[in-house]
Amino acid sequence: MSLDDMGLDFHSDALFRDELITKYLYRRLNPDLAEEFENHYLQCNECFEETRGTELLIRGLAATVIDREQINDVTVIRFYQNSQLLAASVELTELAKVLRIENDTRVLIDLTKVSRIDSTGLGVLMNCYCHAIKNSGALKLLHPDASVKRVLNVTRIDSVLQTFEDEASAIQSFGGGV
């Protein structure tokens, strides 16, 4: 069934067009409709640009936001982009997932790119800390900015989680050499 048969065009309904573009990019359109769409968007600058933007968005959403690196026997977690560890943030979800899946017990979380943290973020950090301690490990923080330090201080979590400004010192504090 073609778009003409459905009585639709690519520009009459923005929601339909967005769904069509997404299905096209995920290769979920039937071959005839995909061909019709390709013929249209190659000639239509508006649809071409929108398809490109949607493709970049899909790729961006699928990309990881966290980097894991082993230095000696310490796992260093870094955020690729400016982040906030808030209840609904992708970064917090990824952090919890990475720490849970990998089961690391000697972890240094680099907060250089983290500008905010809420109670849910603190809860995840404390949950990870408890897991590490229970398994004879440790969880420590690196480079928290002023607002994150303030939250750690007000909640007194800074009395439990060690923070460092120097990565080499932080790695050495786990008992390994640099």
Side-chain angles (χ1 to χ4, degrees), residues 7 9 22 47 53 59 66 73 83 95 98 105-106 112 124 140 146 153 166 169:
D9 71 26
T22 302
C47 288
R59 284 185 185 171
I66 292 178
D73 60 347
S83 302
L95 178 63
V98 163
T105 57
R106 297 166 58 89
T112 301
V124 167
K140 301 178 184 190
N153 182 266
D166 176 65
S169 299

Side-chain angles (χ1 to χ4, degrees), residues 61-122:
L61 291 173
T64 184
V65 295
I66 292 178
D67 178 46
R68 264 179 95 256
E69 176 185 6
Q70 280 298 127
I71 299 178
N72 298 333
D73 60 347
V74 176
T75 301
V76 180
I77 306 284
R78 300 179 206 284
F79 296 90
Y80 281 121
Q81 58 199 16
N82 293 334
S83 302
Q84 298 181 357
L85 299 181
L86 307 175
S89 72
V90 172
E91 295 88 356
L92 186 61
T93 304
E94 283 294 310
L95 178 63
K97 185 169 57 173
V98 163
L99 293 174
R100 197 172 44 247
I101 290 172
E102 297 301 331
N103 223 10
D104 296 312
T105 57
R106 297 166 58 89
V107 179
L108 178 64
I109 300 175
D110 186 344
L111 299 174
T112 301
K113 295 185 177 183
V114 175
S115 61
R116 286 183 57 206
I117 188 167
D118 69 4
S119 60
T120 305
L122 293 172

Side-chain angles (χ1 to χ4, degrees), residues 19-45:
E19 288 174 1
L20 188 68
I21 289 170
T22 302
K23 286 178 182 176
Y24 173 77
L25 292 171
Y26 278 116
R27 310 282 191 259
R28 293 185 183 139
L29 284 180
N30 72 50
D32 293 335
L33 193 54
E35 184 178 345
E36 186 178 349
F37 177 74
E38 287 172 351
N39 290 335
H40 172 82
Y41 91 85
L42 287 174
Q43 297 173 12
C44 176
N45 193 41

